[in-house]
Amino acid sequence: MKEETEEMQLRSGASIKKIDSAEASKKNYLTRPTLARMHLMPTGEPVAFEVAPDGSVVYYFDPTKVTEAPPEIWYFPRSRKDSMTLPSGNVIERMSVKNAALCGYYPEDKLKRMHYEVEEEPVAYTVKSDKSILYFYDKKTARKLPQMCVKCGKDIRYRRKLCEKCYEKDMEVRRREGDAYRNASYNMDRARTLFFDLELTGVYDHDEILSITIVDGYGELVMDTLVKPARNKSWKRTEKIHGITPDMVTDAPSMDELAPKVREIFDNADHIIAYGVSTDYSHIKYIYETEEERNKLHDKVWCCANEFVRYAHENRPDLRHASLTDAMACFNIEWEGIAHSSIADTLGCRKVWEALFPNYYKN
């Protein structure tokens, strides 16, 4: 590092200024060796730096942002407690590779493999079996190096571990394959294609169904009913989302009463589609008694969310979320009814599916 540098940018993007030891002392800043003697470790980034006469960097830390060092390092009895004085005059202690890793300290060659470049002087050391010295450096103050494209190896990574040129070429292939998949003719029967959604008391296995909506490929309601849970008496957290209160389901049929009708509906379907299948399937599968029946149901179930995620990766990589709301906004689809009710979610899922697969049904 050049001595005339007055400011340094850390990996986080924060900038710290160069100061001298006298100014650091006035502000009660602590160097790493001082922290080590006090059995402390920094929890935050350096707040300032100084360039030592040998050109190495000395970082200063805020004394209010420190924590007690791990007991494995300082408080367990050890057979030896050696130290070494560096050319800068700083003293570093000997520690094992394991204890160094607990502090986030690594040898220079390992940091290079992790794509970091050492800037600060060593913070600890160990003695290898051949009596040579192995220095440890703090990963927090090492500089993150740009990684190269895994395909061409020539340019810096942009996305998906690829440089911008390789990424765009890869995306062209993905889009072409994805468009061919989505625009294919699937010849499905609208009457035998079902969309469904459940509202639940929660997302865990012990939670229960509160409402179920089933719609066919024509958009006609096949079933839309509230469900009275057998065990749960309140569900305040999910009530805020779907708006179903305990009073609303007092006179509703139970899932046991509805199961024969739901089985009949599902058994007559070719495909059953939901937005985010895993949670809904994990609850609706219990209307079937045997594993064989559940597997037959699973084979019919398709996930609209998975298909939208693929579309978004290929066509809208800027999207960071893939909820039903995001999918509907992506295709400019308006809600029918109250969002997050089972009927609105089912109708929304159907429209998203048909936007993704415009040739899904028979002509």
Side-chain angles (χ1 to χ4, degrees):
M1 175 172 292
K2 295 181 180 178
E3 195 162 343
E4 62 268 18
T5 302
E6 297 297 324
E7 196 169 282
M8 176 192 296
Q9 189 171 43
L10 300 176
R11 203 165 66 241
S12 65
S15 293
I16 59 174
K17 291 186 176 181
K18 178 183 174 184
I19 61 173
D20 57 33
S21 56
E23 186 179 355
S25 180
K26 286 181 183 178
K27 295 184 176 182
N28 294 321
Y29 290 163
L30 303 173
T31 63
R32 195 182 298 279
T34 304
L35 287 169
R37 288 195 297 273
M38 299 169 70
H39 297 173
L40 298 173
M41 288 176 57
T43 57
E45 295 180 319
V47 292
F49 74 98
E50 181 181 10
V51 180
D54 64 355
S56 63
V57 180
V58 177
Y59 287 103
Y60 290 101
F61 296 88
D62 184 342
T64 65
K65 295 181 179 179
V66 298
T67 187
E68 193 173 36
E72 291 90 343
I73 298 170
W74 306 113
Y75 301 114
F76 281 12
R78 294 185 296 177
S79 58
R80 61 165 67 90
K81 187 173 183 179
D82 301 333
S83 62
M84 172 190 294
T85 302
L86 299 174
S88 65
N90 288 327
V91 177
I92 59 174
E93 289 207 356
R94 178 176 176 173
M95 63 173 62
S96 68
V97 174
K98 180 180 178 181
N99 286 345
L102 285 169
C103 296
Y105 304 159
Y106 301 97
E108 185 174 10
D109 63 336
K110 183 165 185 178
L111 285 170
K112 283 182 179 177
R113 292 197 299 272
M114 296 162 70
H115 301 283
Y116 287 90
E117 183 176 72
V118 169
E119 289 190 328
E120 188 185 14
E121 65 182 0
V123 294
Y125 77 99
T126 192
V127 179
K128 301 199 298 186
S129 58
D130 62 2
K131 305 302 180 184
S132 62
I133 301 296
L134 179 67
Y135 292 104
F136 299 117
Y137 300 84
D138 190 349
K139 182 182 173 184
K140 291 194 294 294
T141 55
R143 183 167 65 91
K144 179 71 172 174
L145 295 173
Q147 293 179 262
M148 307 309 288
C149 173
V150 295
K151 191 168 187 178
C152 70
K154 298 176 182 177
D155 294 317
I156 295 172
R157 292 182 186 182
Y158 172 64
R159 286 178 177 168
R160 294 181 183 270
K161 299 184 179 181
L162 301 173
C163 66
E164 192 165 2
K165 287 182 181 177
C166 291
Y167 172 77
E168 289 302 331
K169 287 180 182 177
D170 181 65
M171 288 302 291
E172 284 178 20
V173 174
R174 286 172 178 266
R175 277 192 289 268
R176 196 160 53 243
E177 292 175 349
D179 288 345
Y181 163 68
R182 285 183 289 273
N183 291 325
S185 296
Y186 288 91
N187 239 11
M188 299 304 297
D189 185 341
R190 285 182 180 271
R192 294 178 63 84
T193 300
L194 301 179
F195 300 84
F196 84 102
D197 184 69
L198 309 176
E199 298 302 335
L200 308 164
T201 59
V203 297
Y204 300 106
D205 287 346
H206 62 264
D207 285 300
E208 296 178 90
I209 298 171
L210 290 172
S211 73
I212 178 170
T213 300
I214 305 172
V215 171
D216 65 19
Y218 292 104
E220 299 294 327
L221 275 176
V222 178
M223 175 179 281
D224 181 44
T225 180
L226 292 171
V227 181
K228 183 178 180 179
R231 301 179 305 279
N232 290 268
K233 303 304 178 186
S234 65
W235 41 88
K236 293 184 184 293
R237 188 170 296 178
T238 54
E239 183 182 324
K240 295 176 183 177
I241 300 170
H242 49 57
I244 300 173
T245 66
D247 288 344
M248 292 170 64
V249 298
T250 300
D251 298 321
S254 69
M255 201 61 223
D256 286 343
E257 294 172 310
L258 292 167
K261 181 62 178 175
V262 176
R263 282 197 299 268
E264 180 186 347
I265 294 169
F266 283 173
D267 289 346
N268 288 323
D270 294 326
H271 277 179
I272 305 168
I273 301 161
Y275 200 93
V277 159
S278 58
T279 301
D280 286 348
Y281 172 76
S282 68
H283 287 82
I284 201 68
K285 70 180 181 181
Y286 292 112
I287 64 172
Y288 292 95
E289 293 183 0
T290 69
E291 199 64 29
E292 182 182 356
E293 290 173 316
R294 292 172 186 175
N295 288 337
K296 284 181 69 175
L297 172 66
H298 190 270
D299 290 342
K300 293 182 180 184
V301 174
W302 289 64
C303 184
C304 186
N306 288 349
E307 300 297 344
F308 177 70
V309 167
R310 176 176 176 175
Y311 170 86
H313 283 170
E314 295 164 359
N315 296 275
R316 292 288 303 278
D318 55 304
L319 287 177
R320 292 291 176 264
H321 303 284
S323 67
L324 178 58
T325 300
D326 298 311
M328 291 175 69
C330 180
F331 295 116
N332 296 313
I333 297 170
E334 298 289 334
W335 285 98
E336 290 184 49
I338 301 171
H340 307 306
S341 63
S342 60
I343 186 167
D345 286 3
T346 305
L347 294 172
C349 172
R350 172 179 166 269
K351 290 183 177 181
V352 169
W353 185 266
E354 291 175 1
L356 289 167
F357 296 93
N359 304 311
Y360 189 68
Y361 302 112
K362 293 177 183 178
N363 292 330

